[in-house]
Each structure stands twice: as structure tokens, then as C-alpha cells.
Amino acid sequence: MNTIDEHIQKDQSEIQSAKAQGDAAKVRHLTDELHSLEEYKEHHPGEKHDPNALELFCDANPDEPECLVYDD
């Protein structure tokens, strides 16, 4: 994906496809991912890039050790 909007559209499409196939696990996974993407987009309105998994995680959990940034 090039942009977060493309990723959101792709996930929405895949959710509909997974629902039609009756794949509840895939629907659950994609719904969680879609929620994270929408939340990220809300928190970073000026950014258009497609965030990676770590960016999504740190947006939701900024105090986790993986997300802390230290100044030297």
C-alpha cells in the first residue's frame, strides 16, 4: 500500500469478502487492523503514508518499552 487510505479501503473490501466466505477469524483480524488504521489516521491527520505494525502498536501503546525514545 502507498497510503493509509488505500490500506483502509483494501481492509474494508477484504472484510466483506471474508464475511461472504464465513471466515470469522479473518474478519476479526481485519476488523482489529482496520480499527488501528482508523485510529492512527485520526491521531495523525497530516500523514498519508501507510503505517507499519510497529507504528500502529506505538500509536496505541506509547509507554511500551519498544516505543520509548531516549535522547542521548
Side-chain angles (χ1 to χ4, degrees), residues 3-59:
T3 68
I4 191 169
D5 291 323
E6 288 175 3
H7 197 157
I8 288 171
Q9 288 176 345
K10 178 181 168 272
D11 279 0
Q12 289 170 336
S13 173
E14 287 185 12
I15 286 170
Q16 295 305 319
S17 177
K19 283 181 180 178
Q21 295 173 359
D23 190 347
K26 188 172 184 178
V27 170
R28 193 169 40 256
H29 167 75
L30 290 169
T31 301
D32 289 345
E33 182 177 284
L34 181 61
H35 176 72
S36 294
L37 287 168
E38 289 172 338
E39 209 170 69
Y40 185 90
K41 184 177 177 179
E42 183 180 311
H43 294 161
H44 305 276
E47 292 187 28
K48 298 292 182 197
H49 80 282
D50 185 20
N52 62 36
L54 182 60
E55 289 173 307
L56 292 174
F57 176 78
C58 288
D59 187 59

